[in-house]
Amino acid sequence: MNISYDYYKIFYYVAKCGSFTQAANILINSQPNLTRAIKSLEAGLGCTLLERTTKGVTLTEEGEKLYENISVAIEQITAGEERIIANKSLEKGFVSIGATEIALRCFLLPILNRYCTKYPGVRIKIINVSTPQALTMLKGGLVDLCVLTTPMESSPELTEKTLKEFNEIAVCGETFRSLSEGNALELSELCNYPIVSLGSKTSTYEYYMKYFARNGLSFSADIEAATADQLIPLIKHNLGIGFVPEDFFSETSEAQGIYRIHLANQLPSRAISLVKKKNHAYSLPARELEKMILEK
């Protein structure tokens, strides 16, 4: 059976409105054209779908069955069309971004604030995950863009653009305050104390494991935090020493019980990077967010 989708669409609106005139106005079409389309649909299906009354149009038993089945399909198709059209403008739309906690706090938040202020109709979904998890989501098409912290595994299907370099520092709470006083410490001396770190499946853990190994030391966390936001409270409550971005430390002064441990050798810098798919057709909201990120 080869019946035009337009016939079903016309039937849907006539049935929904209960009027050929109202349906014609919505579809920007003429009433005679709609009448001919309904007759063609009825001929194709071999039954009467609509009955005219003094109060408008009513559905026959067959018409009710058809409307019940096609209304869901028509509404889903219409919603899909509206979403595609919206993503071609910045009045409405949707963009998803994967971000690590450090990238979010040390770089991305002010940009998202500007973006939402400028384009209030665009919805943003932020997925706060580790770098490896975010890359998997990006490859699978679950997010449009990623703003992540290094190190990260390179991939031929992705591009990476460095946005900002940052340094991390060693910090401690009141119990270990003596480590922040006097001479700078060697990295090996820190191994004598409990260490608080992000989990073993994060880029931060991988970074320190490799850095300690290059210095002939082994790295293991006595306490693994689920997010970077948990590091400062755990360290402040003397569960161990740890490493945090300088930006985190500047937000938490010594008066609040966090102290910087000076090291003989500064930790190598890390980077926050924008990662996206190569040769991917991005929506206008995603392209505009990327533009703002790169401008920053």
Side-chain angles (χ1 to χ4, degrees):
M1 187 177 296
N2 187 21
I3 298 176
S4 171
Y5 164 75
D6 288 337
Y7 293 172
Y8 287 112
K9 186 175 181 180
I10 289 169
F11 167 76
Y12 166 79
Y13 279 102
V14 172
K16 184 177 181 180
C17 297
S19 164
F20 276 91
T21 302
Q22 290 183 31
N25 290 334
I26 291 173
L27 296 170
I28 314 176
N29 207 329
S30 68
Q31 187 173 332
N33 284 343
L34 268 60
T35 300
R36 284 193 291 270
I38 294 298
K39 287 182 178 179
S40 296
L41 178 60
E42 290 177 328
L45 295 175
C47 63
T48 300
L49 301 171
L50 301 171
E51 291 180 347
R52 292 178 182 266
T53 69
T54 55
K55 295 182 179 181
V57 175
T58 61
L59 292 170
T60 63
E61 184 177 348
E62 290 83 358
E64 288 180 353
K65 291 178 181 178
L66 180 63
Y67 181 78
E68 182 181 346
N69 283 279
I70 71 164
S71 59
V72 175
I74 298 291
E75 288 164 10
Q76 288 292 323
I77 291 171
T78 302
E81 290 174 342
E82 289 175 351
R83 184 169 179 180
I84 294 297
I85 292 170
N87 271 358
K88 292 181 180 179
S89 73
L90 288 166
E91 294 181 3
K92 293 183 179 180
F94 175 81
V95 59
S96 58
I97 184 165
T100 60
E101 187 78 30
I102 292 173
L104 194 62
R105 285 185 56 180
C106 295
F107 182 85
L108 194 56
L109 284 178
I111 297 171
L112 294 176
N113 176 267
R114 285 197 298 115
Y115 187 90
C116 291
T117 301
K118 190 172 183 179
Y119 307 114
V122 177
R123 293 187 299 113
I124 298 179
K125 183 177 182 180
I126 303 168
I127 302 177
N128 186 200
V129 289
S130 68
T131 293
Q133 289 172 321
L135 292 175
T136 298
M137 297 180 76
L138 181 62
K139 292 175 183 177
L142 299 178
V143 293
D144 296 311
L145 304 166
C146 285
V147 178
L148 308 173
T149 44
T150 59
M152 67 181 71
E153 185 178 331
S154 61
S155 171
E157 61 188 289
L158 304 177
T159 63
E160 177 189 349
K161 173 74 174 179
T162 299
L163 302 171
K164 173 185 177 180
E165 291 192 349
F166 67 96
N167 290 311
E168 291 198 315
I169 58 174
V171 294
C172 64
E174 186 65 39
T175 297
F176 304 104
R177 186 174 181 178
S178 61
L179 297 175
S180 68
E181 302 166 344
N183 297 328
L185 299 180
E186 297 291 339
L187 191 64
S188 58
E189 296 179 76
L190 298 185
C191 295
N192 299 320
Y193 299 91
I195 292 179
V196 176
S197 171
L198 287 177
S200 57
K201 294 184 180 181
T202 64
S203 61
T204 296
Y205 194 96
E206 179 186 350
Y207 165 82
Y208 282 105
M209 190 170 63
K210 290 182 178 179
Y211 178 65
F212 272 63
R214 287 199 302 270
N215 287 274
L217 303 169
S218 62
F219 176 83
S220 63
D222 296 271
I223 295 179
E224 294 185 12
T227 67
D229 266 351
Q230 294 177 358
L231 291 174
I232 290 292
L234 290 170
I235 294 167
K236 180 179 178 179
H237 285 83
N238 304 302
L239 296 178
I241 62 173
F243 303 93
V244 299
E246 282 188 287
D247 289 356
F248 280 28
F249 180 73
S250 64
E251 297 171 2
T252 311
S253 67
E254 292 188 4
Q256 294 174 288
I258 299 293
Y259 306 93
R260 179 171 183 169
I261 301 171
H262 295 279
L263 299 178
N265 297 103
Q266 183 177 341
L267 296 170
S269 62
R270 298 176 66 188
I272 295 172
S273 297
L274 172 67
V275 188
K276 65 175 190 174
K277 279 187 173 182
K278 290 181 181 177
N279 305 316
H280 183 72
Y282 286 95
S283 67
L284 182 57
R287 294 200 306 272
E288 185 62 21
L289 179 57
E290 178 190 5
K291 179 183 175 183
M292 280 193 176
I293 289 171
L294 294 175
E295 284 175 348
K296 174 66 175 177

